[in-house]
Amino acid sequence: MQLSKLVTFHKVMGDATRIRILALLAKSPKNGQALAGILGLTPPTITHHLSKLREIGLVTEKRVKNTVYFQVNEKLLQQLSLGMMEIVTGKGELEMNQEKTGEHAKILGNYLTKDGKLKTIPPQRKRKLIVLYHLAREFEPGRKYPEREINDIIKKYHEDFATIRRELIVNHMMYRENSIYELNPKELWAKIE
């Protein structure tokens, strides 16, 4: 996810019908016919709005026999909503500023050798995120990296570059499109809790 994805989210959400659909789906999963009946719209109109919501991942679907039920991807909705708030208020910077203090420094000390190489990838989420925050500082914001260059940078820290690259994407620190990688704004990164 990158800033453009946040902009796309707000463009998609700039339609009252889509907001109503999400509000209905947040209460319980529904099929397209049910949504059309509740909102007083035609099924093709509902299909159009659902396709826009699916394109950005806000709606997921589950097939039960011959019926497709839609539901809200609440985790993504919350991330995108909070991402905008943190960008606007600048509160996302606080976490990065505290990275090397106290507990974080101790964890980094446990997982990094004296020359800065990663001994092992932490299995616990919080520790893994602290290490990933540290590694992500190697990448320049706004710069696009081909996959080979990303691999070479990660190899300086650990031989399992594919796992670390995947973790950077899964935790929203990097965005990948057509094998080109870009660092996301820090406000969108998975939070260390």
Side-chain angles (χ1 to χ4, degrees):
M1 184 181 338
Q2 61 188 155
L3 193 55
S4 63
K5 205 166 213 182
L6 198 56
V7 171
T8 302
F9 162 70
H10 284 281
K11 284 181 182 177
V12 169
M13 294 311 299
D15 186 288
T17 300
R18 293 180 197 144
I19 293 172
R20 287 185 190 110
I21 289 171
L22 285 180
L24 289 169
L25 295 178
K27 293 176 185 172
S28 67
K30 293 182 178 34
N31 63 44
Q33 290 291 343
L35 288 169
I38 294 168
L39 295 172
L41 299 170
T42 64
T45 301
I46 294 296
T47 300
H48 167 75
H49 288 296
L50 285 171
S51 71
K52 294 290 185 186
L53 293 168
R54 270 195 320 246
E55 281 175 17
I56 63 169
L58 280 178
V59 170
T60 59
E61 55 187 66
K62 181 179 179 183
R63 182 173 292 279
V64 178
K65 295 186 182 178
N66 292 331
T67 306
V68 177
Y69 290 90
F70 300 92
Q71 60 190 22
V72 176
N73 181 345
E74 290 183 20
K75 185 176 180 181
L76 180 61
L77 179 61
Q78 185 177 27
Q79 275 181 337
L80 291 167
S81 300
L82 290 174
M84 176 58 91
M85 186 65 169
E86 288 179 355
I87 286 173
V88 172
T89 63
K91 290 183 180 174
E93 291 297 315
L94 180 61
E95 207 164 52
M96 283 304 292
N97 293 337
Q98 296 175 346
E99 178 184 9
K100 290 259 181 190
T101 61
E103 181 185 7
H104 293 207
K106 184 178 178 184
I107 289 169
L108 286 174
N110 289 337
Y111 284 95
L112 297 175
T113 63
K114 291 185 183 195
D115 60 350
K117 291 189 183 277
L118 184 59
K119 297 175 192 173
T120 182
I121 300 170
Q124 295 170 322
R125 179 170 169 72
K126 180 178 179 178
R127 292 176 182 185
K128 185 187 303 177
L129 286 174
I130 290 169
V131 168
L132 290 172
Y133 267 52
H134 177 75
L135 297 178
R137 294 175 60 192
E138 271 297 309
F139 304 102
E140 297 173 35
R143 181 172 170 211
K144 297 186 185 303
Y145 294 88
E147 189 168 293
R148 185 176 184 171
E149 189 175 354
I150 289 286
N151 294 344
D152 290 341
I153 291 169
I154 294 171
K155 280 183 202 175
K156 292 190 301 187
Y157 292 96
H158 197 272
E159 62 189 35
D160 191 357
F161 58 87
T163 298
I164 292 173
R165 190 181 65 222
R166 185 174 45 250
E167 288 290 340
L168 288 168
I169 292 166
V170 167
N171 290 293
H172 306 291
M173 293 172 196
M174 295 203 91
Y175 170 76
R176 174 184 62 207
E177 187 172 331
N178 299 325
S179 297
I180 300 296
Y181 295 75
E182 186 176 347
L183 193 66
N184 279 328
K186 293 172 187 165
E187 294 81 12
L188 301 177
W189 296 8
K191 302 297 176 244
I192 299 172
E193 298 172 9

